[in-house]
Amino acid sequence: IIFSQNVFSKPIPPGSGEGDVPANILILLDSSDSMGVNILTGAAMYIPEDIIEDNDGNLIVSQWNRGLIKLNYSDATRDMGFADVGVFMGADPVNSQNLSTTTLGTCVGKDSRTDGADRMAYDSTNDIVYVITRGGHATNHPDYEAFDPVEKKGGLSPKIISLNPDGTCVDVIEYDELGFTPNTIAIRQIDSQEHMFVLGWDPLGLAHPSWNRGKLYSKNINTGDVTMCSGLESRHFDIIARVASDIDVTSDGSYLYAVAKGTIYRYAMTKSGNTYCPTTDGSGDADAVKGTGNKVYTNYYRTGYTHSGYLYASAIALDPDNDETIYVADYNADKIKKFTIGSGDSAFTLVKS
């Protein structure tokens, strides 16, 4: 397990406290401007936003405005053979026609710029890295910069770029296909198929009282089926989708967990065809409904030790072997905490921190 919220996988150092956390979980990265320093000898990074571990145990890091880099875990060095001289930056559609296809691969002619590289996810079955970026102009919204909640200058357009662990671009999911600004992404294997979930917010959507700007994109990577989940028109979901920092999905696709401003929410999920979306028809095992007119059922785990055992969640990771175990990065407590999941508003039981 590696948290998809500014983490770095190294053995737990002295003074961090004991816990039965799997060996490849977790040290939080400082993603502030001060983080232009080495955390491995010879492996400098600049404003790291997220990190994934590939099948070989090496690490790929997204840097906000410096592209993607790869770190060799075995000898603590940066892989300068990754992409183009050790960094994947992508290219705009026009200039990519004149550049070498060595790293652009099948992305020639597409906008693969990684300005504003952000959250990542990894499809371990197909060995593909996915990264949310803010680079390039939206092709169907020339005035998009006026609405972009993440980067208001320069007309940057959100997209999802996929690449191989060697830094070769595979594909680009453009804003035109997404139709919203993605905040976070998760990939989960369900019934031997890889599924992608992208949670975000549409800054060009209708305003209150419609509350239809929160979006969830669900894709079955194996079959190619894509669903823009419907029935999520509620103020509650809209607010969460806009500020969500992390998501995860159970191994059977029955629940989606989301972190928003320190709080963890849970949505019941239903399979329709080959994809999964939050349950909106009133079915599903749920303890409470939050938000005026909210049709999405959710368990709401309140912040504060008296309610849940964590102060301010910044990231989550479900145990890959047990959907009733979840690891929470508690930002305010500077700890990684392990919980078992039950039911009710105080459904978390702290096991160890």
Side-chain angles (χ1 to χ4, degrees):
I1 300 172
I2 288 188
F3 279 135
S4 55
Q5 171 67 23
N6 298 340
V7 300
F8 186 71
S9 173
K10 288 290 284 181
I12 301 298
S16 297
E18 296 182 357
D20 56 347
V21 179
N24 63 336
I25 297 183
L26 323 148
I27 289 179
L28 296 181
L29 285 178
D30 173 10
S31 61
S32 67
D33 289 341
S34 64
M35 190 54 194
V37 298
N38 295 350
I39 59 174
L40 290 176
T41 301
M45 58 184 71
Y46 185 81
I47 312 182
E49 292 293 333
D50 205 355
I51 189 167
I52 62 97
E53 179 185 11
D54 66 18
N55 288 334
D56 294 327
N58 298 316
L59 308 173
I60 296 176
V61 180
S62 60
Q63 305 175 118
W64 177 249
N65 58 357
R66 299 287 180 90
L68 275 63
I69 61 173
K70 186 175 183 179
L71 309 178
N72 297 311
Y73 192 82
S74 60
D75 59 3
T77 61
R78 181 169 162 182
D79 184 353
M80 300 308 293
F82 174 75
D84 185 14
V85 197
V87 61
F88 178 86
M89 291 296 296
D92 67 75
V94 176
N95 289 330
S96 69
Q97 303 285 358
N98 303 318
L99 299 176
S100 168
T101 60
T102 302
T103 60
L104 291 180
T106 54
C107 296
V108 172
K110 299 180 181 180
D111 189 347
S112 59
R113 285 174 288 181
T114 56
D115 309 65
D118 200 352
R119 307 307 306 280
M120 294 194 295
Y122 182 56
D123 175 357
S124 60
T125 300
N126 298 298
D127 203 19
I128 300 293
V129 178
Y130 293 84
V131 58
I132 294 173
T133 78
R134 318 293 179 184
H137 291 270
T139 58
N140 65 345
H141 289 293
D143 58 345
Y144 183 76
E145 62 269 22
F147 302 92
D148 191 342
V150 177
E151 180 59 76
K152 291 183 172 61
K153 296 180 180 179
L156 300 182
S157 169
K159 63 179 64 66
I160 298 173
I161 300 171
S162 57
L163 59 153
N164 293 314
D166 65 0
T168 304
C169 191
V170 174
D171 197 10
V172 180
I173 303 176
E174 293 277 7
Y175 175 84
D176 296 0
E177 178 179 344
L178 285 172
F180 66 94
T181 296
N183 285 335
T184 186
I185 180 173
I187 292 178
R188 170 66 83 165
Q189 185 178 96
I190 306 172
D191 293 332
S192 300
Q193 294 183 324
E194 298 292 335
H195 290 260
M196 178 194 300
F197 300 91
V198 183
L199 183 63
W201 188 75
D202 179 12
L204 299 178
L206 297 177
H208 178 75
S210 296
W211 296 108
N212 65 348
R213 292 176 291 178
K215 303 294 181 182
L216 182 66
Y217 173 97
S218 177
K219 180 176 183 177
N220 184 317
I221 295 175
N222 290 64
T223 66
D225 290 294
V226 173
T227 300
M228 189 64 69
C229 297
S230 61
L232 303 176
E233 297 83 6
S234 70
R235 178 179 182 181
H236 172 75
F237 186 84
D238 181 85
I239 293 173
I240 292 174
R242 183 176 183 178
V243 298
S245 60
D246 202 5
I247 56 173
D248 206 350
V249 176
T250 55
S251 62
D252 61 358
S254 61
Y255 287 108
L256 179 145
Y257 290 82
V259 177
K261 288 194 172 181
T263 300
I264 303 170
Y265 301 84
R266 182 171 77 172
Y267 294 90
M269 300 272 280
T270 302
K271 185 179 182 180
S272 177
N274 290 316
T275 59
Y276 293 82
C277 284
T279 305
T280 58
D281 60 1
S283 65
D285 181 16
D287 300 312
V289 181
K290 305 293 180 182
T292 303
N294 180 18
K295 296 180 180 179
V296 179
Y297 282 70
T298 174
N299 287 347
Y300 177 86
Y301 301 119
R302 302 177 189 277
T303 56
Y305 284 119
T306 58
H307 294 285
S308 61
Y310 65 84
L311 291 174
Y312 191 99
S314 60
I316 53 173
L318 288 164
D319 190 314
D321 300 318
N322 184 358
D323 286 335
E324 295 181 356
T325 298
I326 190 169
Y327 297 91
V328 178
D330 191 335
Y331 181 83
N332 285 2
D334 293 324
K335 289 183 177 181
I336 305 301
K337 298 180 178 180
K338 177 182 178 181
F339 295 86
T340 56
I341 304 171
S343 60
D345 256 6
S346 298
F348 276 12
T349 301
L350 180 62
V351 177
K352 194 167 288 187
S353 64

